Amino acid sequence: MKDLTARQKEILGFIHEYIQTNNYPPTVRETARAFSISVKGAYDHLKALEKKGCIKTSEKRSRSIELVAPPEDDTPVVQIPLLGEIAAGKPIFADENFERTILVPADIVANRVPHFALHVKGDSMIDAGILSGDIAIIERSETAKNGDIVVALLEENVTLKRFYIENNRFRLQAENPRYAPIYTQDLRILGRLRGIYRSY
Amino acid sequence: MKDLTARQKEILGFIHEYIQTNNYPPTVRETARAFSISVKGAYDHLKALEKKGCIKTSEKRSRSIELVAPPEDDTPVVQIPLLGEIAAGKPIFADENFERTILVPADIVANRVPHFALHVKGDSMIDAGILSGDIAIIERSETAKNGDIVVALLEENVTLKRFYIENNRFRLQAENPRYAPIYTQDLRILGRLRGIYRSY
DNA sequence: CTGTATACTATACATGAGCATAGGAGCCCA
DNA sequence: TGGGCTCCTATGCTCATGTATAGTATACAG
């Protein structure tokens, strides 16, 4: 699939676009016309592309170009729940919190661990490029490593902070100098930050 | 789309299957052969299907049958191209820049305007919560309003900045005090920022 | 009873389309 | 220096294909 010459890439690109807009592939002559070259010129390119495995054609049939392994390799997506207002005292994963589902590329949700999403509120993580209103994609996990950004349950409040283990306590560190670190010995980690999604 | 006769449904079903297996639509004669009827018989059916809006054809073009409103198109996500390294001097939308496609929720790509995505490089927009490595989802547009974050082509460099119109010039403003604003009278806007996507 | 739609057959024609032969120019490798 | 690859022109053959005319038969609606 590699080893394509510049010209061949152009031709392949044209076929792509053509199919995109017409839903059916071009003829040899249409390809030739698109590049202002002779029919045989285009024909040779198509045969070269076929030999290189980028394309498949059926003999003697018009418009029988098929793209082999087209770029759109089904990048799958997964649906994860977006949790809305997290009321103090309620279990975070209760049904009441469910707002809607959002779709995220499956490569984020790499391992088969469940994920969820939260609206970010406040500016405590602003220096990490996380703004109020962003959607945070969280991998559900009870544990975290030093320096991970986590969603933690802290005295019935849910908060997004950077997480550190110190001698005999945990430190939850905002990424904003106006917020002091929180020290606690009693906290529950709900998940680790895996992605941020923002819409303008 | 309703009011199809039994025969017409059969024909439409055949076209469906044919495209499914071949990736390209059948010819009139292939359709005729499949039902052991005459060419004109099949031709009339196709024209009837077209009149009823189930199918679209282009005049005088072989294999130009297109299915109108194919079974299920309620995909809440859309694929947009992720452009990679933008080399100076090269057209940004050239095929060489194509890296892969990414999936974004369709509500971002609300209007039918084409979108694309870019890797963010550098820290010039850090105070807007846009970090190096983020993926920016851009709505293709030649224009922008005051204060929009835009992708602009500036002396063969592509840059992401906040855009302002001043008396007789444009101002491209970084969101980082260490970067001075850029003033120019000659710039081309490539698109407006619609979303940010970050993966940890 | 007539008009209109469906569902065909049979035949025909101009152009569309795949494929081929012959050849040329430039390039890199051995 | 020669062979093989890419990229192209020009011309042509043959069959595929969309479209058309003319006609048959059935059914249903006003």
Side-chain angles (χ1 to χ4, degrees):
Chain A
M1 188 71 160
K2 61 240 160 148
D3 294 353
L4 288 188
T5 67
R7 198 58 166 157
Q8 286 165 358
K9 274 187 213 145
E10 277 188 271
I11 307 264
L12 192 57
F14 164 75
I15 296 170
H16 249 102
E17 284 169 41
Y18 191 102
I19 294 180
Q20 204 75 27
T21 58
N22 293 290
N23 289 330
Y24 50 84
T27 64
V28 179
R29 274 173 179 76
E30 283 166 349
T31 311
R33 242 175 284 142
F35 291 90
S36 302
I37 59 173
S38 69
V39 177
K40 188 61 182 357
Y43 183 75
D44 288 347
H45 279 303
L46 294 178
K47 286 299 153 195
L49 284 170
E50 184 164 24
K51 213 170 67 183
K52 290 184 180 176
C54 306
I55 258 181
K56 225 182 60 178
T57 65
S58 314
E59 289 205 347
K60 303 257 189 193
R61 319 191 83 187
S62 66
R63 297 187 195 277
S64 68
I65 297 171
E66 281 177 75
L67 295 173
V68 169
E72 30 155 340
D73 47 351
D74 39 356
T75 322
V77 289
V78 293
Q79 288 207 2
I80 63 176
L82 174 61
L83 307 180
E85 293 301 317
I86 311 295
K90 282 206 185 145
I92 185 178
F93 299 120
D95 276 359
E96 293 104 294
N97 297 330
F98 178 85
E99 192 174 312
R100 61 185 175 100
T101 64
I102 60 169
L103 286 145
V104 298
D107 52 338
I108 278 263
V109 186
N111 15 24
R112 308 213 165 257
V113 183
H115 282 62
F116 62 96
L118 284 178
H119 284 290
V120 174
K121 293 214 174 60
D123 58 357
S124 69
M125 295 302 283
I126 203 162
D127 286 352
I130 300 169
L131 310 186
S132 192
D134 289 0
I135 289 173
I137 292 144
I138 313 291
E139 174 187 336
R140 224 146 130 171
S141 163
E142 301 276 319
T143 62
K145 293 196 308 293
N146 249 340
D148 281 355
I149 297 176
V150 303
V151 173
L153 188 64
L154 191 71
E155 288 158 28
E156 309 213 325
N157 285 311
V158 172
T159 184
L160 185 73
K161 293 284 183 298
R162 212 174 273 281
F163 170 83
Y164 296 96
I165 307 172
E166 303 198 335
N167 295 328
N168 58 347
R169 60 182 184 184
F170 304 113
R171 184 172 102 238
L172 292 177
Q173 180 79 52
E175 292 266 357
N176 182 334
R178 296 195 288 106
Y179 289 75
I182 299 167
Y183 300 99
T184 181
Q185 285 166 332
D186 180 26
L187 113 181
R188 190 177 148 217
I189 291 173
L190 298 174
R192 285 192 280 242
L193 181 66
R194 292 299 314 273
I196 283 289
Y197 189 71
R198 182 184 311 146
S199 166
Y200 288 88
Chain B
M1 188 69 163
K2 63 275 154 114
D3 293 353
L4 288 189
T5 67
R7 199 57 164 158
Q8 286 167 358
K9 273 187 214 146
E10 276 188 273
I11 307 264
L12 191 58
F14 164 75
I15 296 169
H16 249 104
E17 283 170 43
Y18 191 103
I19 293 180
Q20 204 75 27
T21 58
N22 294 291
N23 289 331
Y24 49 85
T27 64
V28 178
R29 273 173 180 76
E30 283 166 350
T31 310
R33 241 175 285 140
F35 291 90
S36 302
I37 59 174
S38 70
V39 178
K40 189 59 181 356
Y43 184 73
D44 287 347
H45 278 303
L46 295 178
K47 286 299 155 197
L49 284 171
E50 184 164 23
K51 214 170 65 181
K52 291 185 179 177
C54 305
I55 258 181
K56 226 181 59 178
T57 66
S58 314
E59 290 205 346
K60 302 258 189 194
R61 318 191 85 185
S62 65
R63 296 186 197 279
S64 68
I65 297 171
E66 283 176 72
L67 295 173
V68 169
E72 50 199 290
D73 52 349
D74 43 356
T75 326
V77 290
V78 292
Q79 289 206 4
I80 63 175
L82 174 61
L83 306 179
E85 293 300 318
I86 310 297
K90 279 206 186 141
I92 184 178
F93 299 119
D95 276 359
E96 292 104 291
N97 298 330
F98 178 84
E99 192 174 312
R100 61 185 174 97
T101 64
I102 61 169
L103 288 147
V104 299
D107 52 337
I108 278 264
V109 186
N111 14 24
R112 310 219 160 252
V113 183
H115 282 62
F116 61 96
L118 284 179
H119 285 290
V120 174
K121 292 215 175 60
D123 58 357
S124 69
M125 293 303 284
I126 203 161
D127 286 351
I130 302 169
L131 310 186
S132 194
D134 289 359
I135 289 173
I137 291 142
I138 312 290
E139 175 189 336
R140 222 144 133 173
S141 163
E142 301 275 320
T143 62
K145 293 194 306 293
N146 248 341
D148 281 355
I149 297 177
V150 303
V151 173
L153 188 66
L154 191 71
E155 285 158 28
E156 309 213 326
N157 285 309
V158 173
T159 183
L160 185 72
K161 293 283 183 301
R162 212 174 273 280
F163 170 81
Y164 295 96
I165 307 172
E166 304 197 334
N167 294 328
N168 58 346
R169 60 186 183 182
F170 304 114
R171 184 171 102 236
L172 291 177
Q173 180 78 53
E175 291 267 355
N176 183 334
R178 295 196 288 105
Y179 288 75
I182 299 168
Y183 300 99
T184 179
Q185 285 166 331
D186 181 25
L187 111 182
R188 189 175 150 220
I189 292 172
L190 299 173
R192 284 192 281 242
L193 181 65
R194 292 300 313 273
I196 283 289
Y197 190 69
R198 183 185 310 148
S199 165
Y200 288 88

